[in-house]
Amino acid sequence: MKANRAGTPTGSRERPGNLTISHAADNAVVELAVHGQWTRHTAVDVYDALRKALAEQPSAIIIDLQEMSDLDGLSVPTWIAASRAAMSLQPPPVVALCAPPTRRLVTRLRQLGCARFLTLFVTVGQARAAVANALPLTDRLQLRWLPPHPDSLTAVHDAIRSADRAWTVPALVGAAQDVARDLVTDSLEHAGTAMLFTICRRRGSLYLALRDHEPTLPPLRRPGAGGGTPARLPVVNGRSCVWGASTVHDGKLVWAVVRSRPAPALSGAA
């Protein structure tokens, strides 16, 4: 998975073996698995990952701590900070922690009263089922497997106008259509396969995603960076607050978030 904030350098701070990050097909759910011993380096990596996840305004963040060791409960401030940052979003995403109830970390969280604002699960499967039952279906529009033809862009623009009529988001329509044009044009030029286009409503933002059958990810670059070579997806990079790309089993997913106001800061976590 790659992600980039518009106007900032690309790259990930993930350390091999510490974190695994995955997204649902429509980016409504972000899963973060933490492995090994909790250290200051792990805290920094998790902080960065959670900050990026919150910027995407998902409906839920599932944090898998099954394979993490934290005997002294040093990670507690990170989970509290993540929950507070999530609660400042409207609507707030669910932050679900998954760990065996016998873990000292879970005992510490319960002693501090964190169960009032953190949802605790024993397994990731339980968290996924609970989140799936809570996600609203009316906040998503999807165009399934459009043909690799320029006319498909018209269908996507029509869907964005339909989203505005349903959700009343006129301030986001122009930027969303510009970003959609960049996504569709890039897929036509570099994939040439059928496209699945998804539009999701977040409070104050729209999430747009294009999935095709070409697995090669676009480079995450700032426009004009590097030897004068034109950057791919310059409109996505310039008009979205955060965007990224990830491989899926039959191709890739490229997504972007168009927002009318900034995301909350994640403070006090590292």
Side-chain angles (χ1 to χ4, degrees):
M1 187 276 294
K2 297 181 178 180
N4 184 39
R5 288 182 181 274
T8 63
T10 62
S12 171
R13 297 200 59 194
E14 296 176 21
R15 297 173 187 267
N18 278 4
L19 303 180
T20 302
I21 304 171
S22 60
H23 290 64
D26 62 358
N27 233 39
V29 180
V30 177
E31 291 189 14
L32 170 65
V34 187
H35 315 282
Q37 183 67 40
W38 182 266
T39 65
R40 288 189 60 83
H41 289 319
T42 307
V44 172
D45 293 340
V46 170
Y47 172 89
D48 285 347
L50 289 172
R51 177 176 55 82
K52 291 174 183 177
L54 287 170
E56 297 161 27
Q57 288 197 308
S59 297
I61 301 174
I62 298 174
I63 304 170
D64 180 6
L65 306 180
Q66 302 277 347
E67 302 298 328
M68 188 191 80
S69 176
D70 180 17
L71 296 180
D72 297 322
L74 299 178
S75 65
V76 167
T78 295
W79 315 131
I80 293 176
S83 180
R84 287 175 176 169
M87 285 190 291
S88 69
L89 289 172
Q90 292 298 325
V94 174
V95 178
L97 289 184
C98 306
T102 54
R103 290 280 176 86
R104 191 177 302 177
L105 171 61
V106 175
T107 301
R108 179 63 175 156
L109 288 168
R110 293 189 185 279
Q111 289 173 342
L112 293 173
C114 296
R116 298 193 311 272
F117 49 84
L118 276 172
T119 308
L120 303 177
F121 293 94
V122 176
T123 69
V124 174
Q126 291 174 348
R128 288 172 179 164
V131 166
N133 290 333
L135 295 181
L137 298 178
T138 56
D139 285 354
R140 184 176 74 169
L141 294 176
Q142 193 169 71
L143 301 177
R144 299 187 63 81
W145 304 119
L146 298 167
H149 189 277
D151 287 348
S152 293
L153 177 59
T154 301
V156 171
H157 278 184
D158 288 345
I160 292 173
R161 284 190 287 267
S162 296
D164 177 36
R165 289 192 292 270
W167 303 330
T168 315
V169 288
L172 303 177
V173 170
Q177 290 186 330
D178 289 345
V179 167
R181 181 182 299 107
D182 212 20
L183 291 172
V184 172
T185 300
D186 185 79
S187 182
L188 292 174
E189 292 180 356
H190 297 280
T193 71
M195 299 169 284
L196 185 148
F197 199 93
T198 302
I199 308 164
C200 293
R201 174 173 63 167
R202 309 282 196 260
R203 185 64 63 89
S205 68
L206 288 178
Y207 164 84
L208 311 171
L210 187 148
R211 179 173 171 177
D212 59 35
H213 296 304
E214 166 54 52
T216 304
L217 300 180
L220 302 184
R221 309 176 49 191
R222 287 177 293 177
T229 303
R232 276 176 62 179
L233 298 171
V235 179
V236 170
N237 195 68
R239 300 213 65 183
S240 61
C241 58
V242 62
W243 68 280
S246 59
T247 55
V248 293
H249 73 279
D250 61 350
K252 70 173 178 296
L253 180 78
V254 185
W255 55 267
V257 176
V258 177
R259 180 181 294 121
S260 57
R261 60 175 180 268
L266 179 65
S267 59

